[in-house]
Amino acid sequence: MKRRIFWSILLTSFLVLALTVSVVMIAVYHDFETERKAEIKTEAGYIAAAYYDENIEYLRDIGKTSKNRITLIRYDGTVLYDNFADTSVLDNHKNRPEIAEAMESGSGEAQRASDTLGEKTYYYAVRLNNGNILRVASTMRNIAKVFDTSATYIELTLLLALVISIAASDTLTKRIVRPINNIKLDSPLSSYAYDELSPLLVKIDKQNQKITLQMEELKHKQREFSGITDSMNEALIIYGTDKKVLSANRSAKRIFSCYQPQGLGYLEICRDIPYIRAVEDAFLGKSADAKLTKAGRIYRISVNPVNENDNYAAVLFAVDITESEQAEQMRREFSANVSHELKTPLTSILGCAEIMQSGIAKPEDFPHFTEQIYNEAKRLLSLIDDIIKLSRLDESELKNEFSEVDLYKLCEKVIDELAQKAKDSDVALSLKGERLCVKGIENTLHEMIYNLCDNAITYNIKGGSAEVSILNENGHAILSVEDTGIGIAPEHQSRVFERFYRVDKSHSKETGGTGLGLSIVKHGAILHGAEIRLTSTLGKGSVIELIFNNTANK
């Protein structure tokens, strides 16, 4: 705009200058021509007044010094004298307009191209007293010739005027544009501008207000979107058609360990093959699912394409399925273990029964086979009972059965029940601490404490001890079972709470364990919101603690 204004002002100035010069030149030329004609008339009057008695010599004297053409013409049109031409070659002038007019009215004038001088010539003729005609003529130069002598000055003047016009145009352009450039687009009405711009500025201000409202609405929606997505446990990533990240929620940043993902390419986020294949399929317009393992967690990712003018963006959704995968794995392992554990005693029972039925066994062996059948059936029943207990612990509705349970009293009951076993195993079983109550299911808590104490006796040494203690520590009830038994090696400590896991399978078989005792303790702790802490040294013993959060003194 600035350039256009500059050239508009300069062109206007130049046109005005050219027009002005043209008018001035025409006016000057007109004045020059008028003045020249007046000089010719004056000279003709002077010569006519001084001429007498056809004194040709007088005319010759004047003609020698005069710059004008002087001609004397007889009343019949014959040329008697001409200071610019030979009279013998001149034709009759009677019919010349100025001559005819002078003969008729006393004076006459005409302007035409002269045959003799070959230029535009002004003729003025007066009738003398004797009837002859005195004519004075002079060439009239055109404008170019008039100003030819002063052309240099005129050119310099025009050049100076052009320079001044350029400078003035630049200054005016800056002055015109300055108020426009000073307009504050964020608050246009607060800026001084031309009155003609007021409607535009009002529209800009209204548009600004509308844009501000729209931006606030967009920001509000973006905050809502960010708040919703950031509160999601699932990962959400949006990729643009350029295959770069447009948005990622907090979970996505955590899962992919990338805390500034915006603007990064999809390969910079993750280079795992399942992820790459799924995202690339989405960019080709196909939905894709995959499993991805990151930092020990398992995620199911779903990537869907978004069509934008035949170019595909993508949306990735990742869900943590670690627990479900682990649960599925545990279910498969549990099913396999249950099948194995159930099959073992049943096989033994079936074998003994077949031997007895077939008559192979001697009558004196019957008590042995009967005892074996009884023990295996008892073991099978215990296994089924433990499985039922574990299944019931997985039911969330059990929390509705919570009541206040006295841990100390419950431990006393368990110790009474295991007193004979402890005596038979030569293990000193004791209880100490204070009376504390927790919210829970008494039967389940009983089973948990029973299993811990039973293990402390079973896996102890002759002459060893097993001590149960109940303490209140910072508002938490801590029930611990400490033994002086065989202990657990470090490599087994993280797995002893798994179903059917045994550190020493041969010893477990001797003791009749089902391999579900500590698993029942673990699931019971989960049900009661308690924490399990295991400390064990191989050959020195173990300490297992149950830390309850819902404690009340009694």
Side-chain angles (χ1 to χ4, degrees):
M1 186 182 73
K2 184 177 179 181
R3 182 178 297 178
R4 183 176 295 178
I5 293 174
F6 172 79
W7 284 108
S8 298
I9 295 175
L10 182 60
L11 181 60
T12 301
S13 301
F14 183 77
L15 290 176
V16 170
L17 178 63
L19 182 61
T20 301
V21 170
S22 299
V23 171
V24 169
M25 289 179 68
I26 293 171
V28 170
Y29 177 75
H30 179 71
D31 290 343
F32 168 77
E33 188 178 52
T34 302
E35 184 179 351
R36 189 76 181 112
K37 288 179 180 180
E39 289 177 358
I40 293 171
K41 290 180 180 180
T42 301
E43 185 175 1
Y46 288 155
I47 295 174
Y51 179 75
Y52 60 94
D53 295 335
E54 297 185 3
N55 187 359
I56 299 300
E57 291 300 326
Y58 170 72
L59 292 178
R60 285 194 179 97
D61 291 338
I62 293 177
K64 291 177 181 179
T65 58
S66 178
K67 295 180 180 180
N68 299 323
R69 182 180 181 183
I70 301 173
T71 306
L72 182 62
I73 304 161
R74 190 185 293 172
Y75 56 84
D76 61 357
T78 302
V79 178
L80 299 177
Y81 170 75
D82 192 302
N83 63 338
F84 277 27
D86 185 0
T87 58
S88 61
V89 298
L90 297 175
D91 57 0
N92 192 284
H93 282 33
K94 186 176 182 179
N95 294 326
R96 301 289 173 93
E98 71 277 5
I99 302 299
E101 186 180 358
M103 286 183 179
E104 182 178 350
S105 60
S107 63
E109 58 183 341
Q111 189 168 304
R112 64 180 178 274
S114 172
D115 295 334
T116 304
L117 301 178
E119 294 179 335
K120 180 181 177 183
T121 306
Y122 174 72
Y123 298 92
Y124 182 75
V126 294
R127 188 179 63 207
L128 302 175
N129 293 332
N130 59 5
N132 292 339
I133 303 299
L134 176 67
R135 187 184 69 180
V136 179
S138 178
T139 58
M140 304 298 290
R141 292 179 294 173
N142 56 27
I143 294 177
K145 290 184 178 180
V146 169
F147 291 96
D148 185 56
T149 55
S150 57
T152 302
Y153 298 103
I154 294 174
E155 290 174 359
L156 290 174
T157 302
L158 289 174
L159 181 60
L160 179 61
L162 182 61
V163 172
I164 294 173
S165 296
I166 293 174
S169 299
D170 184 64
T171 302
L172 287 174
T173 300
K174 290 179 180 178
R175 292 186 63 184
I176 291 172
V177 173
R178 187 180 296 116
I180 299 175
N181 289 336
N182 290 337
I183 293 175
K184 298 178 182 178
L185 294 179
D186 53 345
S187 56
L189 299 181
S190 65
S191 306
Y192 169 76
Y194 304 107
D195 293 338
E196 291 79 4
L197 291 177
S198 295
L200 175 62
L201 297 180
V202 171
K203 289 183 179 180
I204 293 176
D205 184 65
K206 290 181 178 179
Q207 190 67 27
N208 284 346
Q209 294 177 9
K210 185 176 180 181
I211 292 173
T212 300
L213 291 175
Q214 290 175 342
M215 289 299 295
E216 287 297 325
E217 185 176 355
L218 286 174
K219 288 179 181 178
H220 177 68
K221 290 182 178 179
Q222 185 177 12
R223 285 193 295 269
E224 284 186 343
F225 178 78
S226 298
I228 292 171
T229 56
D230 283 343
S231 64
M232 293 168 51
N233 292 324
E234 298 79 9
L236 178 65
I237 303 178
I238 301 174
Y239 303 92
T241 54
D242 59 354
K243 300 183 179 180
K244 292 184 178 180
V245 177
L246 295 178
S247 176
N249 69 349
R250 187 177 298 151
S251 295
K253 296 174 184 177
R254 173 180 52 80
I255 291 170
F256 293 97
S257 300
C258 185
Y259 297 97
Q260 291 295 333
Q262 281 77 6
L264 296 180
Y266 74 100
L267 288 175
E268 297 177 82
I269 298 297
C270 179
R271 293 188 179 273
D272 291 358
I273 298 301
Y275 161 84
I276 293 174
R277 287 176 178 171
V279 174
E280 288 182 346
D281 283 347
F283 286 133
L284 294 175
K286 298 180 291 184
S287 297
D289 295 324
K291 285 184 181 179
L292 187 66
T293 302
K294 301 290 289 183
R297 307 293 293 179
I298 304 171
Y299 300 92
R300 179 178 296 280
I301 60 173
S302 298
V303 192
N304 295 292
V306 179
N307 193 344
E308 292 185 7
N309 301 322
D310 296 330
N311 291 322
Y312 288 97
V315 177
L316 179 145
F317 192 73
V319 181
D320 190 339
I321 58 171
T322 305
E323 281 73 18
S324 61
E325 286 290 307
Q326 290 176 345
E328 178 62 22
Q329 180 65 24
M330 289 176 63
R331 186 192 65 78
R332 289 194 294 266
E333 291 179 356
F334 181 71
S335 298
N337 288 330
V338 165
S339 299
H340 174 74
E341 295 293 334
L342 290 175
K343 186 176 180 181
T344 301
L346 283 174
T347 301
S348 180
I349 292 170
L350 184 61
C352 291
E354 285 180 352
I355 292 173
M356 293 173 68
Q357 185 182 18
S358 64
I360 298 176
K362 297 177 180 181
E364 59 267 23
D365 294 328
F366 272 40
H368 170 72
F369 287 118
T370 303
E371 183 181 2
Q372 188 170 352
I373 291 173
Y374 173 78
N375 290 334
E376 292 296 336
K378 185 179 178 182
R379 179 184 172 196
L380 182 61
L381 187 62
S382 297
L383 181 62
I384 294 172
D385 188 43
D386 283 348
I387 291 172
I388 292 172
K389 291 174 184 176
L390 271 177
S391 300
R392 191 164 184 268
L393 287 175
D394 290 333
E395 298 176 6
S396 59
E397 291 80 3
L398 287 175
K399 290 187 177 180
N400 298 326
E401 301 178 13
F402 277 22
S403 61
E404 196 171 86
V405 180
D406 187 333
L407 283 180
Y408 194 90
K409 184 177 181 181
L410 195 60
C411 289
E412 287 180 327
K413 182 179 179 182
V414 170
I415 288 176
D416 287 342
E417 293 172 356
L418 291 172
Q420 187 59 44
K421 181 176 181 179
K423 182 178 179 182
D424 294 342
S425 301
D426 193 17
V427 174
L429 183 61
S430 61
L431 172 66
K432 71 175 183 178
E434 56 184 302
R435 293 188 176 275
L436 295 175
C437 293
V438 296
K439 290 288 186 179
I441 301 174
E442 184 172 353
N443 290 337
T444 303
L445 290 171
H446 176 276
E447 189 67 29
M448 293 166 62
I449 299 169
Y450 187 94
N451 285 334
L452 290 175
C453 293
D454 186 62
N455 281 351
I457 297 171
T458 302
Y459 298 100
N460 216 316
I461 59 175
K462 292 290 183 178
S465 65
E467 183 180 71
V468 181
S469 64
I470 301 173
L471 301 174
N472 186 347
E473 186 176 296
N474 299 324
H476 300 287
I478 299 179
L479 186 152
S480 68
V481 178
E482 182 177 359
D483 64 65
T484 58
I486 61 176
I488 304 171
E491 63 269 20
H492 297 295
Q493 291 181 16
S494 62
R495 301 195 61 189
V496 292
F497 293 97
E498 295 180 11
R499 297 174 182 181
F500 296 110
Y501 187 82
R502 295 186 178 94
V503 176
D504 186 351
K505 294 184 179 180
S506 61
H507 186 67
S508 296
K509 186 169 181 67
E510 292 174 1
T511 58
T514 64
L516 294 176
L518 289 181
S519 184
I520 291 174
V521 173
K522 174 186 173 182
H523 285 74
I526 293 173
L527 176 66
H528 289 83
E531 178 187 349
I532 299 179
R533 196 156 52 199
L534 167 64
T535 305
S536 182
T537 303
L538 194 61
K540 292 186 178 181
S542 303
V543 179
I544 297 180
E545 296 176 305
L546 293 177
I547 304 163
F548 295 90
N549 295 319
N550 51 354
T551 305
N553 289 325
K554 187 174 180 180

